[in-house]
């Protein structure tokens, strides 16, 4: 009998499973009922009705035994908790910022940064928008201007750094409105809405030089910065021999300040960070946090949450952890490719972004192709993704019309250390089944629209 020859050595996760959480199996009948009740919005489903939850990687992580052990060491003092000081030391160590204010999650830090730095009539250039980030900038009186490179808006461009900033677009804006109207440039990486695409260190340096020339500050949405560092290590000349921690610190050294949704890289379930090297901004934030979050030594968190964040930071910079995480996303992408399912290339860091325009070409964008596709996948198998297209893009502030983004996507996001390869196989086969039956799929109409961040709560009906 011919025996198979060994042609490769597979990799596996650098951890094993100690605690398990049962998930409920659902039937097609249950799911069809559930998605109608949820107004075809996957954010409005009960998690009990979901089989494999790829809605987000935000706060959905599995913590390590070391993080859970740290939870028992929570110092729940109202003022001066020792966990706060442990966390502060780790922030200096990994992000290199001297000043820090904890927040309950990322958007609370976005709120404070926006209120402190922005004046009515200002402009904030950024490498594509993120939903909550842009809204806080707008609520503070600014107009957001997208200055990402054009490749980022093209789902089939294989550019290795689609998160890069277009220096010409940025310079044009500075020349048009004047540097005084631009309190800071906002850089995120990897860029969530572009498909989890990183920026390069070389591009960041160019942005920094331009900002320096015009005396404009540079702020960093460092929510998934370790994944950006991972792509720099793999793809950028000169970084192969550096550690993730070294690349992260080098990246952060170019910024005046940053915010982090700790619910991602830090592998916790809740938490946020505002950190800066600007003492004045820090003092304002430290004062503001007591109005909205809690005292500046807990910022809306329990002491135990801060301890889990501090310990999560040691794990977030471990190369093998990120490799396993990004490797799972890659595995999913490669399997989807076998079935010809269209998605954004290159495969991003935290998620696969299905290209709903290509998947459902018979639907016009105002029939909500991505919203439709997310609900069809859920009905097929109980796999939950989310819309990242016209619904997420909201309306134009001046005209009230829908924004029509070039990218109309369904995001399948991978919680860290939660699902196995077998779960991914099930998800892939379900999506491939929906793809085979795509011609029969009808679009949606919006029947309820909330004022802010409509994608979270909007309701739809079948056309
Ligand atoms: N910045 C980025 C790049 C994010 O992805 C998020 C959240 C935030 C800021 C806001 O942080 O949720 O802690 O308030 N992203 C989640 C997601 C919601 O599903 O992508 P938060």
């Amino acid at each position: 009998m011919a025996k198979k020859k060994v042609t490769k050595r597979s990799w596996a996760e650098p951890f094993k499973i100690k605690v398990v959480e049962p998930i409920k199996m659902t039937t097609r009948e249950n799911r069809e009922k559930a998605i109608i009740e949820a107004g075809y919005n996957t954010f409005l489903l009960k998690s009990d009705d979901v089989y494999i939850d790829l809605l987000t990687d935000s706060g959905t992580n599995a913590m390590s035994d070391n993080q859970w052990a740290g939870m028992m060491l929570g110092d729940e003092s109202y003022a001066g908790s020792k966990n706060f000081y442990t966390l502060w030391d780790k922030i200096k160590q990994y992000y290199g910022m001297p000043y820090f204010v904890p927040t309950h999650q990322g958007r609370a830090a976005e709120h404070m940064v926006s209120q402190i730095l922005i004046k009515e009539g200002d402009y904030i250039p950024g490498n594509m928008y993120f939903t909550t980030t842009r809204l806080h900038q707008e609520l503070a009186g600014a107009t957001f201007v997208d200055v990402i490179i054009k490749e980022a808006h093209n789902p089939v461009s294989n550019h290795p750094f689609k998160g890069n900033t277009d220096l010409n677009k940025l310079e044009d804006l500075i020349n048009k409105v004047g540097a005084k109207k631009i309190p800071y440039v906002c850089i995120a990486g990897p860029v969530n809405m572009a498909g989890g695409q990183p920026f390069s260190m070389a591009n960041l340096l160019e942005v920094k030089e331009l900002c320096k020339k015009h005396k404009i500050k540079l702020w960093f949405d460092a929510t998934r910065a370790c994944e950006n560092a991972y792509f720099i290590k793999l793809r950028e000349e000169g970084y192969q021999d550096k550690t993730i921690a070294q690349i992260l610190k080098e990246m952060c050294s170019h910024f005046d300040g940053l915010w982090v949704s700790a619910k991602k890289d830090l592998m916790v379930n809740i938490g946020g960070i505002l950190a800066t090297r600007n003492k004045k901004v820090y003092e304002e934030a430290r004062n503001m946090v007591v109005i909205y979050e809690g005292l500046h030594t807990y910022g809306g968190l329990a002491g135990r949450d801060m301890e889990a964040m501090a310990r999560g930071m040691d794990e977030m910079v471990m190369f093998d952890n990120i490799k396993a995480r990004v490797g799972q996303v890659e595995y999913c992408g490669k399997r989807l490719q076998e079935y010809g399912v269209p998605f954004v290339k290159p495969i991003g860091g935290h998620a696969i972004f299905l290209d709903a325009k290509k998947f459902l070409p018979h639907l016009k964008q105002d029939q909500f192709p991505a919203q439709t596709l997310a609900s069809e996948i859920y009905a097929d198998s109980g796999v939950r993704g989310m819309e990242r297209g016209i619904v997420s893009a909201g309306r134009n502030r001046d005209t009230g019309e829908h924004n029509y983004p070039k990218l109309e996507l369904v995001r399948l996001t991978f919680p860290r250390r939660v699902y196995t390869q077998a779960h991914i196989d099930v998800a892939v086969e379900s999506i491939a089944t929906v793809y085979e039956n795509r011609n029969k799929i009808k679009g949606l109409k919006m029947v309820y629209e909330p004022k802010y961040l409509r994608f979270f709560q909007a309701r739809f009906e079948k056309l």
Side-chain angles (χ1 to χ4, degrees):
M1 212 170 67
K3 298 227 169 62
K4 198 175 164 182
K5 274 237 182 289
V6 180
T7 54
K8 64 167 185 174
R9 178 63 58 95
S10 295
W11 57 270
E13 287 79 2
F15 52 82
K16 57 186 177 173
I17 296 166
K18 179 154 24 200
V19 177
V20 297
E21 176 184 345
I23 44 184
K24 205 171 82 183
M25 309 295 283
T26 55
T27 63
R28 170 113 207 169
E29 202 185 336
N30 295 150
R31 296 190 295 268
E32 277 176 358
K33 195 162 157 267
I35 196 70
I36 292 172
E37 276 171 15
Y40 293 91
N41 185 343
T42 53
F43 277 104
L44 299 178
L45 288 165
K46 294 182 182 146
S47 73
D48 228 18
D49 293 327
V50 174
Y51 175 40
I52 299 172
D53 203 350
L54 305 182
L55 184 74
T56 177
D57 63 337
S58 182
T60 51
N61 310 299
M63 293 205 294
S64 67
D65 52 358
N66 188 47
Q67 286 175 295
W68 277 109
M71 295 288 275
M72 285 307 292
L73 302 177
D75 168 5
E76 308 307 339
S77 309
Y78 189 92
S81 160
K82 67 177 179 228
N83 312 112
F84 165 77
Y85 291 101
T86 307
L87 179 56
W88 195 352
D89 283 344
K90 292 280 177 194
I91 285 166
K92 289 178 197 157
Q93 179 186 338
Y94 289 118
Y95 295 97
M97 294 281 167
Y99 304 117
F100 145 69
V101 175
T103 62
H104 82 278
Q105 61 182 79
R107 69 197 69 179
E110 290 173 343
H111 171 220
M112 290 193 290
V113 170
S114 306
Q115 291 296 328
I116 292 167
L117 297 176
I118 294 171
K119 288 188 308 300
E120 186 67 41
D122 282 347
Y123 292 83
I124 303 294
N127 57 345
M128 204 178 265
Y129 81 103
F130 183 70
T131 53
T132 56
T133 319
R134 183 180 69 187
L135 180 60
H136 280 299
Q137 291 161 349
E138 288 176 352
L139 289 172
T143 301
F144 175 82
V145 183
D146 183 5
V147 293
I148 203 165
I149 57 171
K150 65 176 189 314
E151 287 84 350
H153 293 281
N154 174 3
V156 297
S157 156
N158 257 313
H159 194 295
F161 291 107
K162 280 169 120 175
N164 279 355
T165 299
D166 184 329
L167 274 292
N168 291 326
K169 282 189 197 165
L170 181 55
E171 196 152 29
D172 285 350
L173 180 75
I174 298 170
N175 292 336
K176 191 170 137 210
V177 305
K180 287 213 165 59
K181 287 253 174 228
I182 304 176
Y184 64 98
V185 173
C186 172
I187 298 294
V191 180
N192 196 346
M193 304 300 279
Q197 307 293 335
F199 61 75
S200 70
M201 196 75 86
N203 182 256
L204 174 60
L205 257 175
E206 289 177 335
V207 174
K208 184 195 167 182
E209 286 310 312
L210 188 60
C211 286
K212 212 167 120 191
K213 185 172 134 199
H214 293 277
K215 297 198 175 63
I216 298 171
K217 299 266 184 276
L218 189 55
W219 277 71
F220 187 20
D221 179 342
T223 292
R224 296 181 185 82
C226 291
E227 288 164 19
N228 203 96
Y230 174 80
F231 285 120
I232 288 178
K233 184 175 166 75
L234 295 195
R235 297 179 188 169
E236 193 164 354
E237 190 69 35
Y239 288 91
Q240 276 66 41
D241 297 329
K242 296 207 167 143
T243 63
I244 299 296
Q246 285 168 333
I247 301 171
L248 175 66
K249 200 133 176 207
E250 182 179 332
M251 247 155 54
C252 293
S253 73
H254 299 305
F255 290 93
D256 294 284
L258 54 86
W259 62 88
V260 181
S261 166
K263 301 168 77 174
K264 283 80 165 177
D265 268 359
L266 279 72
M267 286 181 275
V268 289
N269 305 118
I270 196 75
I273 293 168
L274 189 170
T276 176
R277 51 184 97 257
N278 182 319
K279 189 152 188 234
K280 201 166 153 280
V281 172
Y282 161 65
E283 279 171 357
E284 279 188 55
R286 195 175 69 149
N287 190 212
M288 201 170 181
V289 79
V290 299
I291 312 173
Y292 293 105
E293 297 282 284
L295 196 72
H296 59 276
T297 59
Y298 74 86
L301 295 166
R304 56 180 172 270
D305 298 324
M306 292 189 284
E307 187 61 33
M309 282 166 69
R311 290 174 182 226
M313 275 192 212
D314 292 333
E315 295 170 26
M316 78 178 181
V317 295
M318 286 179 188
F319 179 78
D320 286 342
N321 266 332
I322 312 178
K323 183 176 163 195
R325 158 172 186 56
V326 178
Q328 195 171 48
V329 182
E330 262 171 18
Y331 174 78
C332 180
K334 287 191 176 138
R335 292 238 35 221
L336 284 170
Q337 218 151 348
E338 291 168 17
Y339 295 101
V341 173
F343 60 87
V344 175
K345 310 281 168 41
I347 296 168
H350 65 306
I352 292 289
F353 289 74
L354 302 176
D355 185 345
K357 277 189 188 170
K358 279 238 178 72
F359 203 115
L360 300 173
H362 57 288
L363 298 188
K364 289 194 294 221
Q365 201 169 7
D366 58 9
Q367 296 173 331
F368 310 108
Q371 191 77 32
T372 304
L373 180 54
S375 65
E376 290 289 332
I377 294 168
Y378 168 74
D380 182 74
S381 59
V383 170
R384 169 158 72 168
M386 76 155 81
E387 196 264 7
R388 293 275 85 153
I390 185 169
V391 186
S392 295
R395 289 185 185 273
N396 181 295
R397 274 211 304 174
D398 301 325
T399 65
E401 292 296 311
H402 291 305
N403 290 318
Y404 285 83
K406 287 212 181 82
L407 298 177
E408 177 72 26
L409 310 173
V410 170
R411 191 182 74 172
L412 306 163
T413 333
F414 293 75
R416 293 164 193 77
R417 308 191 289 207
V418 169
Y419 289 116
T420 66
Q421 195 159 309
H423 289 113
I424 308 300
D425 288 334
V426 171
V428 165
E429 287 153 21
S430 163
I431 293 159
T433 306
V434 176
Y435 190 57
E436 279 170 7
N437 299 319
R438 61 192 180 276
N439 295 335
K440 294 186 213 127
I441 295 172
K442 293 200 176 69
L444 296 169
K445 65 173 187 227
M446 203 190 292
V447 293
Y448 167 72
E449 180 176 357
K451 188 167 167 201
Y452 299 115
L453 302 174
R454 61 184 185 173
F455 56 94
F456 283 131
Q457 291 149 342
R459 300 185 68 84
F460 301 82
E461 282 171 9
K462 269 270 167 228
L463 283 173

